[in-house]
Amino acid sequence: MKTRIKNAAAMLTMDNDARELSGVDVMIEDGVIIAVGPDISDADTVVDVTGCVVTPGLVNTHHHLYQTLTRAVPGGQDALLFGWLQTLYPIWSRFGPEEMFVSAQIGLAELALSGCTLTSDHLYLYPNGARLDDTIAAAHEVGLRFHPTRGAMSIGESDGGLPPDSLVEREAHILEDCIRVIDAHHDPRDGSMVRVGVAPCSPFSVSRDLMRDAAILARDKGVMLHTHLAENDEDIAYSLEKFGCRPGQYAEDLGWTGPDVWHAHCVKLDGQEIDLFSKSRTGVAHCPCSNCRLGSGIAPVRAMRDAGVRVGLGVDGSASNDSGNLVAEARQVLLLQRVVNGADAMSAREALFIATRGGAEVLGRSDCGQIAVGKRADIAIWDVSGVESAGSWDPAALLLAGPTRVKHLFVEGRQVVRDGHVTTIDLPRAVERQNTLARALMI
Ligand SMILES: [Zn+2]
């Protein structure tokens, strides 16, 4: 089965030569891009994209899908990170498998509509029988490429931690379950649709031993490591007080730097930590809207990229954003870097690179993130004939004047969004289920 995406007005390939093409086609077969160029011969299926801009699918490097069930919770709307968490923990402790599955479906569909083809997820609480498998089942249905991470919290309130005791797990059990989900679901091959990572929630919710053991386990299994790091001033103060060092030092001491590690936020990294991340090839998931929403600050993305740090984008959880629109994050990174560094600090094309290939590199996916022969067929198609782009002199500058939803989306060659609608699940029904569950949690 060959699919031909025909006559793109503009194509931002993000390939090694950063080529921008116009009037070209893409041919897909068995989930792989087999040709890019003008007038490719006919296929079994032809999708005419005249008047559209074609980009690689966007890559989301940080999310907590379950939080789509707790958007805009009144008590957390205006709180800083730690207060926000303490408002939400008791609500999350009432979740179970159905809440995890439905909230993931909604979050994944929302991402797909905003151009995302590959997403990671960070699930760090497992109340009432919930499992990582619940979210993997949702990703399988929606059809996105998925990197779930087995998160964890082990230090509850009674041990001086932030989460309530009811949401923490025994460390031995956490490690056992990491092994279980890796063995059951992790696929390291090219074109893989599921890769599992190991992801204790943050240095302030697990022990030093668990951080170290998690790194050893991940390397033994050949999977990646992920956590939250240096998110805001409270986070730095906690690290200095409890560990006697800054977060970068803590991470390095416990084996949490390297090309197989990526950290979320890193808003407060200093110059030395940026050097450490650059030398060790440690990745960063930058979450600009969440950082704004929680008042955490502006991550030094310009300095990171100039130092050679690999940076991708993340929407972060939908309780701290509260939107899961990835192309909106790409616009936000551009705006925030300009606030700090001036109008020439980041171009629309560079921000789109971070949102696509940058994210794929952070997640260790050299097979994704660009439109080139031999790469996986993860492709976003943007209709620039609408009101948002009307009058644009440069429609390929999507982030300055472009749509915030895709027209079509292909993942591994399969059409997941067609004419602005998710094809794989009954989305209106899922929304109804989600709202029913949310109403039950409010009682
Ligand atoms: Zn997060």
Side-chain angles (χ1 to χ4, degrees):
M1 262 292 280
K2 286 183 183 171
T3 302
R4 175 186 175 194
I5 297 170
K6 179 184 160 187
N7 200 29
M11 185 181 294
L12 296 151
T13 64
M14 304 298 167
D15 68 7
N16 291 341
D17 301 319
R19 287 189 304 160
E20 287 191 22
L21 308 170
S22 58
V24 293
D25 301 353
V26 183
M27 187 77 92
I28 299 168
E29 188 175 28
D30 296 331
V32 176
I33 295 167
I34 58 167
V36 179
D39 299 322
I40 293 170
S41 62
D42 262 330
D44 307 286
T45 309
V46 177
V47 180
D48 192 324
V49 297
T50 303
C52 294
V53 173
V54 176
T55 70
L58 274 52
V59 177
N60 182 38
T61 58
H62 187 62
H63 207 330
H64 310 289
L65 287 166
Y66 75 89
Q67 292 180 9
T68 62
L69 256 173
T70 48
R71 299 195 219 236
V73 170
Q77 283 183 16
D78 306 315
L80 287 177
L81 177 65
F82 284 15
W84 171 87
L85 282 169
Q86 281 163 331
T87 301
L88 290 163
Y89 282 142
I91 303 171
W92 295 337
S93 70
R94 294 162 57 205
F95 279 39
E98 190 185 7
E99 282 78 6
M100 293 302 179
F101 176 81
V102 175
S103 57
Q105 262 194 330
I106 291 293
L108 291 161
E110 186 183 16
L111 283 173
L113 289 168
S114 73
C116 175
T117 50
L118 161 60
T119 183
S120 63
D121 186 44
H122 188 186
L123 181 56
Y124 51 82
L125 40 88
Y126 296 88
N128 307 308
R131 302 191 311 163
L132 193 67
D133 314 59
D134 303 324
T135 61
I136 295 171
H140 184 69
E141 285 202 1
V142 176
L144 289 202
R145 208 180 288 286
F146 195 41
H147 286 206
T149 61
R150 206 303 181 182
M153 299 193 292
S154 62
I155 300 187
E157 269 170 342
S158 60
D159 293 320
L162 206 59
D165 292 347
S166 63
L167 277 180
V168 303
E169 300 174 275
R170 284 186 306 107
E171 297 198 341
H173 170 74
I174 291 165
L175 292 168
E176 275 166 26
D177 200 51
C178 285
I179 294 168
R180 180 188 69 78
V181 290
I182 293 166
D183 289 347
H185 300 289
H186 181 71
D187 177 2
R189 295 171 296 181
D190 261 17
S192 163
M193 292 299 286
V194 179
R195 285 193 191 166
V196 177
V198 174
C201 183
S202 64
F204 56 79
S205 52
V206 302
S207 74
R208 187 183 285 262
D209 285 346
L210 185 67
M211 291 294 286
R212 189 183 288 113
D213 290 348
I216 292 167
L217 169 64
R219 294 202 167 106
D220 181 49
K221 288 284 188 186
V223 303
M224 291 187 73
L225 284 164
H226 181 50
T227 193
H228 294 99
L229 204 77
E231 182 165 351
N232 69 358
D233 289 329
E234 289 171 299
D235 198 340
I236 302 291
Y238 186 94
S239 184
L240 289 170
E241 189 198 324
K242 296 271 182 189
F243 311 134
C245 63
R246 289 187 52 89
Q249 179 78 55
Y250 187 71
E252 190 185 25
D253 289 350
L254 297 174
W256 276 77
T257 51
D260 54 351
V261 183
W262 85 107
H263 292 289
H265 301 303
C266 300
V267 173
K268 297 292 176 182
L269 288 195
D270 67 11
Q272 259 184 334
E273 290 169 316
I274 290 172
D275 276 352
L276 168 67
F277 275 41
S278 170
K279 287 196 185 89
S280 58
R281 300 205 38 76
T282 307
V284 170
H286 173 47
C287 306
C289 289
S290 171
N291 296 159
C292 290
R293 158 76 160 81
L294 291 172
S296 301
I298 301 174
V301 173
R302 183 69 275 153
M304 289 179 195
R305 291 214 6 110
D306 289 346
V309 175
R310 297 173 308 138
V311 180
L313 290 184
V315 297
D316 202 4
S318 298
S320 69
N321 186 313
D322 298 293
S323 159
N325 186 311
L326 191 51
V327 75
E329 300 295 328
R331 180 174 161 90
Q332 193 74 8
V333 60
L334 170 156
L335 296 176
L336 282 182
Q337 293 310 303
R338 290 179 179 207
V339 167
V340 178
N341 302 302
D344 59 353
M346 184 171 286
S347 70
R349 270 124 172 125
E350 184 181 4
L352 197 64
F353 175 91
I354 295 171
T356 53
R357 188 159 170 186
E361 288 175 355
V362 166
L363 294 184
R365 297 302 298 245
S366 57
D367 56 339
C368 300
Q370 50 181 310
I371 299 177
V373 171
K375 302 299 179 187
R376 310 315 295 190
D378 291 2
I379 296 171
I381 297 165
W382 310 86
D383 185 352
V384 290
S385 67
V387 67
E388 316 89 346
S389 306
S392 172
W393 289 32
D394 179 14
L398 275 179
L399 302 177
L400 295 179
T404 52
R405 281 192 169 197
V406 282
K407 181 178 171 79
H408 304 304
L409 188 79
F410 289 84
V411 184
E412 188 73 357
R414 176 189 189 198
Q415 191 159 6
V416 171
V417 177
R418 180 180 294 119
D419 291 320
H421 296 283
V422 174
T423 63
T424 45
I425 61 166
D426 182 346
L427 188 54
R429 194 164 162 264
V431 168
E432 209 178 292
R433 253 177 106 187
Q434 166 101 333
N435 285 331
T436 304
L437 290 173
R439 276 193 296 274
L441 287 166
M442 286 173 204
I443 296 166

